[in-house]
């Protein structure tokens, strides 16, 4: 479980996160939703420690992550898999080299064991025969799947996704959503997804936190969200005609 | 004030760069990769520039000696000392600041804006050390070798210029090359280049590591990297010369 307790974060004069408290459960897909500029990416990056928080606590499995020094944080980070918005694959490495990279850095496995693990992870994200391709030579959807394979290669306890469906067509987005959901159950991870894709919300939202104006405005699941009377949440979720027709 | 802010930030950055590498075999592999990329791939440009500069220094010196009592072997001596003292270290360093410095800044800058550095940090990798330390080691060891190479090629360029133009007798040129040779000039030049190599590897890395924004900022970081490295090379050239030759 990950607990976020009363965290605040400012950049200069501007306060981006205001006293946010949330809990993310293991084996479930925990969604952070909100408009662009609402602070959800800052929240995600603050949770994983890319941004230092100004106030509050972030607790990973009972350990106060936010007050650890760099060395202690690095240990926890080896238990975290993160998929960035653009995939963040290393351009000069092939697919195989990207996926094996965390194993080479941290695992102590033999070459044979590492190869086996890479094959397993690429197979798990339904990618075959792409080992020797560079990221620029494969599609956006495939890049996302390679990034997921790299994120799960060290058997992480915690998985974070920043806009996993951005730039993908709806069909590929559903494939990625389903994959994330399956991996969350298979690996029993605490999965936190940052999204504004309403399909993802409907398909995968076990727990949902709506961030509005830097605050945790509403929490619930993908069934509660359709019945909520929260004005700001409804304006966000039912912004399109299609979504309004679903509500009716 | 901003100047001191950047000095402090640069030193903090270097402290992280010089942390012990996390995986020794990967670190050694990366050093060899950087030696090829930064050092070996610069051999051709150093060769081309050195051979032509050596030839030009020789011809200009030969054609400007108009007074009959000045011995002609001074052309060879002038070429040798110009190459040994200044050209093969400082001018080659300025050229490498343009080539290698821009390469380092664009590589790290692109990784930064594409979140690849954040991805490294997230995996628990010390990104500063992983990315920059192999570049520093590769540069500090290979650039002085390029200096030695430049010295020999430059003198060979001068030799070819004399051979093909007959600007002075070839024997006088060769005599001048051997005349009153001070071995410490080579040591001086190699020490200078090792310090310049450190500047060329770290200043562009620092400029690129902290950029925010997109492709435009990578371009700006490239420009700053080359300009600041060049200024620092010229500044330290004066300091080192005063310390070592005074």
């Amino acid at each position: 479980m990950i607990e976020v307790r009363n965290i605040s974060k400012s950049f200069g004069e501007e306060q981006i996160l205001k006293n946010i408290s949330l809990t993310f459960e293991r084996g479930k897909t925990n969604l952070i939703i909100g408009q662009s500029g609402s602070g959800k990416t800052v929240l995600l990056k603050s949770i994983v420690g890319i941004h230092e928080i100004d106030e509050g606590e972030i607790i990973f499995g009972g350990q106060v992550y936010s007050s650890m020094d760099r060395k202690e944080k690095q240990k926890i980070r080896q238990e975290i898999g993160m998929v960035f918005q653009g995939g963040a694959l290393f351009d000069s490495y092939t697919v195989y080299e990207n996926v094996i990279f965390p194993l080479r850095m941290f695992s102590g496995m033999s070459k044979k064991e590492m190869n086996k693990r890479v094959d397993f992870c690429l197979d798990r994200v339904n990618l075959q025969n792409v080992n020797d391709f560079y990221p620029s030579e494969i599609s956006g959807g495939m890049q996302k799947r390679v990034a997921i394979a790299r994120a799960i290669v060290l058997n992480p306890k915690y998985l974070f996704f920043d806009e996993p469906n951005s730039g993908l067509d709806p069909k590929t987005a559903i494939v990625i959503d389903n994959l994330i959901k399956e991996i969350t159950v298979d690996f029993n991870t605490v999965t936190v997804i940052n999204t504004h894709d309403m399909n993802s919300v409907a398909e995968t939202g076990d727990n949902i936190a709506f961030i509005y104006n830097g605050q945790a405005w509403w929490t619930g699941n993908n069934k509660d969200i359709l019945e909520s009377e929260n004005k700001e949440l409804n304006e966000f979720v039912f912004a399109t005609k299609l979504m309004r027709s679903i509500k009716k | 004030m901003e100047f001191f802010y950047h000095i402090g930030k640069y030193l903090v950055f270097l402290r992280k760069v010089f942390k012990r590498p996390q995986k020794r075999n990967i670190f050694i592999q990366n050093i060899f990769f950087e030696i090829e990329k930064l050092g070996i791939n610069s051999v051709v440009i150093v060769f081309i520039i050195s051979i032509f500069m050596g030839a030009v220094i020789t011809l200009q010196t030969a054609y400007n000696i108009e007074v009959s009592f000045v011995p002609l072997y001074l052309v060879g001596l002038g070429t040798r000392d110009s190459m040994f003292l200044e050209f093969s270290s400082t001018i080659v360093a300025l050229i490498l600041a343009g080539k290698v410095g821009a390469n380092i800044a664009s590589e790290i800058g692109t990784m930064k804006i594409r979140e690849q550095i954040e991805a490294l940090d997230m995996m628990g990798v010390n990104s500063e050390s992983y990315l920059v330390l192999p570049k520093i080691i590769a540069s500090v060891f290979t650039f002085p070798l390029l200096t030695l190479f430049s010295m020999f090629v430059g003198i060979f360029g001068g030799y070819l210029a004399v051979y093909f133009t007959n600007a002075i007798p070839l024997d006088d040129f060769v005599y001048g090359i051997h005349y009153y040779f001070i071995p410490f000039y080579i040591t001086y030049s190699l020490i200078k280049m090792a310090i310049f190599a450190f500047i060329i590897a770290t200043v562009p890395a620092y400029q690129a590591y902290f950029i925010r924004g997109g492709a435009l900022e990578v371009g700006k970081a490239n420009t700053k990297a080359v300009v600041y490295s060049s200024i620092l090379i010229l500044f330290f050239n004066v300091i080192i010369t005063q310390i070592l030759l005074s």
Side-chain angles (χ1 to χ4, degrees):
Chain A
M1 191 160 75
I2 300 171
E3 287 174 76
V4 171
R5 288 185 190 159
N6 308 106
I7 66 164
S8 298
K9 172 72 185 167
S10 298
F11 290 108
E13 297 289 298
E14 197 181 353
Q15 191 173 18
I16 308 295
L17 304 179
K18 298 165 188 167
N19 201 32
I20 290 183
S21 293
L22 292 168
T23 301
F24 304 111
E25 291 177 59
R26 184 166 295 283
K28 290 187 175 176
T29 45
N30 303 274
L31 267 56
I32 300 170
I33 62 169
Q35 279 178 276
S36 298
S38 59
K40 58 186 192 300
T41 297
V42 175
L43 174 62
L44 194 81
K45 290 189 174 180
S46 297
I47 295 170
V48 296
I50 292 172
H51 297 318
E52 291 286 328
I53 53 170
D54 302 330
E55 284 172 45
E57 281 182 333
I58 295 157
I59 299 162
F60 278 72
Q63 299 178 77
V64 185
Y65 177 67
S66 49
S67 60
M68 288 177 179
D69 62 25
R70 189 178 163 123
K71 213 170 183 179
E72 289 173 316
K73 271 186 183 169
Q74 278 185 343
K75 277 185 191 163
I76 296 279
R77 281 178 178 182
Q78 286 162 30
E79 297 176 349
I80 297 175
M82 180 151 179
V83 177
F84 287 83
Q85 194 168 349
L89 297 174
F90 305 127
D91 300 321
S92 53
Y93 290 0
T94 61
V95 165
Y96 167 81
E97 287 165 341
N98 264 286
V99 180
I100 206 169
F101 180 82
L103 291 174
R104 291 179 69 212
M105 287 300 291
F106 301 112
S107 74
M109 286 179 177
S110 68
K111 183 109 199 236
K112 200 177 167 187
E113 288 170 324
M114 284 195 277
N115 285 337
K116 208 173 160 188
R117 180 73 188 156
V118 170
D119 288 342
F120 168 79
C121 291
L122 285 172
D123 200 44
R124 185 66 196 81
V125 297
N126 305 317
L127 280 176
Q128 287 91 24
N129 306 319
V130 293
N131 285 19
D132 296 330
F133 286 96
Y134 285 94
S136 58
E137 295 170 337
I138 56 177
S139 69
M142 288 165 105
Q143 285 180 22
K144 284 277 161 69
R145 283 188 275 164
V146 175
I148 295 172
R150 187 177 69 180
I152 61 172
V153 78
L154 280 175
N155 245 330
K157 290 181 181 172
Y158 312 98
L159 269 176
F160 291 86
F161 295 84
D162 188 14
E163 305 279 9
N165 295 334
S166 71
L168 301 181
D169 64 87
K171 206 173 168 184
T172 310
I174 289 170
V175 171
I176 298 291
D177 283 340
N178 289 337
L179 187 59
I180 293 171
K181 207 162 171 65
E182 287 165 18
I183 284 169
T184 302
V185 175
D186 287 359
F187 289 70
N188 194 29
T189 56
V190 180
T191 301
V192 182
I193 306 167
N194 199 349
T195 187
H196 53 221
D197 180 356
M198 282 305 122
N199 281 331
S200 297
V201 174
E203 294 286 332
T204 62
D206 294 333
N207 289 329
I208 302 167
F210 173 59
I211 305 298
Y212 179 75
N213 201 18
Q215 297 170 72
W217 203 254
W218 179 91
T219 55
N221 61 34
N222 55 359
K223 293 185 180 61
D224 302 335
I225 205 164
L226 296 172
E227 289 150 22
S228 168
E229 296 300 319
N230 188 296
K231 182 174 165 274
E232 287 78 14
L233 177 70
N234 281 339
E235 279 176 5
F236 171 71
V237 175
F238 304 106
T240 62
K241 272 185 185 173
L242 181 67
M243 289 305 291
R244 282 196 294 274
S245 68
I246 291 170
K247 174 111 171 153
K248 279 174 193 169
Chain B
M1 278 307 283
E2 204 182 339
F3 173 75
F4 293 108
Y5 167 77
H6 282 290
I7 295 283
K9 200 171 167 186
Y10 173 71
L11 293 175
V12 171
F13 174 69
L14 286 184
R15 205 181 70 182
K16 288 177 184 166
V17 167
F18 282 101
K19 289 255 166 79
R20 200 160 63 95
Q22 286 159 298
K23 200 87 176 183
R24 188 186 288 183
N25 57 346
I26 293 179
F27 176 63
I28 291 167
Q29 270 178 26
N30 286 348
I31 290 174
F32 281 109
F33 177 72
E34 297 295 345
I35 284 174
E36 186 192 345
K37 196 174 70 175
L38 306 179
I40 295 172
N41 288 351
S42 302
V43 168
V44 174
I45 192 159
V46 170
F47 175 83
I48 291 169
I49 290 164
S50 302
I51 202 158
F52 284 111
M53 285 303 292
V56 165
I57 291 167
T58 304
L59 293 178
Q60 283 185 355
T61 314
Y63 294 141
N64 281 291
I65 294 177
E66 289 174 349
V67 190
S68 59
F69 59 79
V70 176
L72 289 175
Y73 67 76
L74 284 184
V75 174
L77 187 141
T79 302
R80 184 197 70 198
D81 283 356
S82 301
M83 293 303 297
F84 279 25
L85 286 170
E86 215 42 46
F87 182 83
S88 296
S89 51
T90 311
I91 306 299
V92 168
L94 289 171
I95 289 155
L96 291 175
K99 182 188 176 287
V100 174
N103 178 304
I104 291 172
S106 57
E107 180 196 323
I108 294 180
T110 306
M111 287 188 80
K112 179 77 177 181
I113 62 166
R114 292 193 183 169
E115 297 180 307
Q116 291 166 22
I117 289 180
E118 285 183 359
L120 280 173
D121 288 331
M122 273 314 306
M123 288 174 201
V125 177
N126 175 357
S127 60
E128 293 94 337
S129 172
Y130 179 80
L131 292 174
V132 185
L133 191 54
K135 294 184 199 308
I136 296 174
I137 293 172
S139 303
V140 169
F141 280 98
T142 57
F143 288 6
L145 296 176
L146 288 176
T147 296
L148 283 176
F149 177 67
S150 166
M151 288 171 182
F152 288 110
V153 172
I155 289 171
F156 181 62
Y159 181 89
L160 288 180
V162 172
Y163 181 81
F164 285 112
T165 63
N166 289 317
I168 59 164
L170 200 55
D171 288 346
D172 281 335
F173 180 79
V174 174
Y175 179 73
I177 294 293
H178 290 96
Y179 183 76
Y180 199 63
F181 174 62
I182 301 170
F184 180 71
Y185 285 178
I186 293 180
T187 313
Y188 157 77
S189 209
L190 295 181
I191 292 171
K192 274 206 306 189
M193 189 48 134
I195 293 166
F196 296 158
F198 185 83
I199 293 169
I200 292 167
T202 56
V203 172
Y206 169 77
Q207 287 298 331
Y209 197 87
F210 295 102
I211 63 166
R212 289 162 65 194
L216 194 64
E217 280 67 28
V218 176
K220 283 180 188 169
N222 273 356
T223 309
K224 279 185 184 175
V226 175
V227 171
Y228 293 161
S229 305
S230 302
I231 293 169
L232 283 170
I233 286 167
L234 295 172
F235 175 73
F236 277 94
N237 189 27
V238 177
I239 305 280
I240 300 161
T241 303
Q242 175 61 23
I243 292 169
L244 295 181
L245 294 187
S246 64

